[in-house]
Amino acid sequence: MCRGLESLPITCLERAKELRALFGSLLQRSDHTGQHKKSDKLRLHEVNEPLKWKESFDNLMSSQNGLCLFRAFLVSEYSEENIAFYLACEDYRTSKPSKLATKAKKIYEEFIDSDAPREVNIDHATKELTKENMKRPKQSCFDQAQDRIYTLMEKDCYPRFLRSSVYLELTRKTKTG
């Protein structure tokens, strides 16, 4: 399971803690005079970013700020292993062929194996398929397991994130800004 907040990279933790302040300060600095400079457009885009996260899980996952805040949320929910596994698979998929076997073994031992310290919750058939794929690691050997975890986060964790006090406060400030 999750090792707590210490398992998050310090930069992500700091970023997650600063997001409320960042979006809040951007809202306060908004210029309501009707004159818009290039920097104002950038600011408005950043201010509206949290509202886009509610549109789809893909929007949240493709936003660096959203991903950081979501990861911090998962740490608080004791399910950070899901996003860690998902991101490890993304990294694995772009690895050089010479590194696949080593990386696959590390991911399997950390997240899939029955004794894994951060075991993710996947069904038996997916676990067996992944184990079979480990015999000849390819960039796609974790695809089914990654898809299962993505769906789990989308159907379970994401709705809870959207109802969380941090996200609701962030969107409230954005809407009333």
Side-chain angles (χ1 to χ4, degrees):
M1 288 301 281
C2 179
R3 293 186 299 239
L5 291 174
E6 305 83 47
S7 66
L8 269 180
I10 191 70
T11 55
C12 189
L13 260 181
E14 289 170 358
R15 187 76 179 140
K17 289 177 182 177
E18 292 172 356
L19 280 176
R20 271 199 326 217
L22 169 71
F23 287 110
S25 67
L26 288 173
L27 287 167
Q28 290 172 355
R29 288 187 300 191
S30 273
D31 183 28
H32 298 290
T33 63
Q35 298 174 339
H36 296 288
K37 298 179 221 162
K38 192 174 185 178
S39 62
D40 289 338
K41 289 181 182 176
L42 175 62
R43 219 180 281 143
L44 288 173
H45 171 71
E46 291 172 354
V47 167
N48 291 324
E49 186 179 359
L51 297 176
K52 298 229 180 271
W53 302 341
K54 190 172 188 172
E55 292 173 7
S56 74
F57 188 55
D58 288 335
N59 285 353
L60 175 69
M61 295 292 283
S62 63
S63 161
Q64 187 175 7
N65 290 329
L67 186 58
C68 236
L69 194 60
F70 184 60
R71 189 169 186 179
F73 170 76
L74 291 177
V75 168
S76 74
E77 294 277 306
Y78 301 102
S79 57
E80 190 262 344
E81 70 278 357
N82 293 324
I83 194 73
F85 172 71
Y86 178 84
L87 294 172
C89 291
E90 289 295 294
D91 176 64
Y92 175 80
R93 189 176 286 120
T94 61
S95 299
K96 295 178 183 177
S98 62
K99 305 268 185 192
L100 290 180
T102 305
K103 283 189 171 188
K105 184 176 189 251
K106 182 179 180 197
I107 291 170
Y108 186 85
E109 289 175 352
E110 185 171 356
F111 298 106
I112 306 292
D113 197 19
S114 298
D115 299 339
R118 300 167 78 187
E119 185 179 4
V120 291
N121 186 9
I122 55 174
D123 58 275
H124 179 74
T126 302
K127 187 178 275 202
E128 288 302 311
L129 174 65
T130 305
K131 186 176 182 178
E132 185 65 28
N133 289 343
M134 291 296 296
K135 293 177 182 175
R136 287 177 301 286
K138 297 180 202 165
Q139 271 134 338
S140 62
C141 76
F142 293 106
D143 283 0
Q144 187 171 349
Q146 185 184 24
D147 288 345
R148 296 285 194 267
I149 293 302
Y150 186 90
T151 300
L152 175 69
M153 290 189 298
E154 183 178 32
K155 303 288 185 218
D156 183 49
C157 305
Y158 175 61
R160 286 197 324 266
F161 170 76
L162 295 177
R163 293 188 304 265
S164 71
S165 60
V166 171
Y167 179 74
L168 290 174
E169 183 179 336
L170 202 56
T171 56
R172 182 185 56 77
K173 286 182 178 180
T174 302
K175 289 175 185 175
T176 61

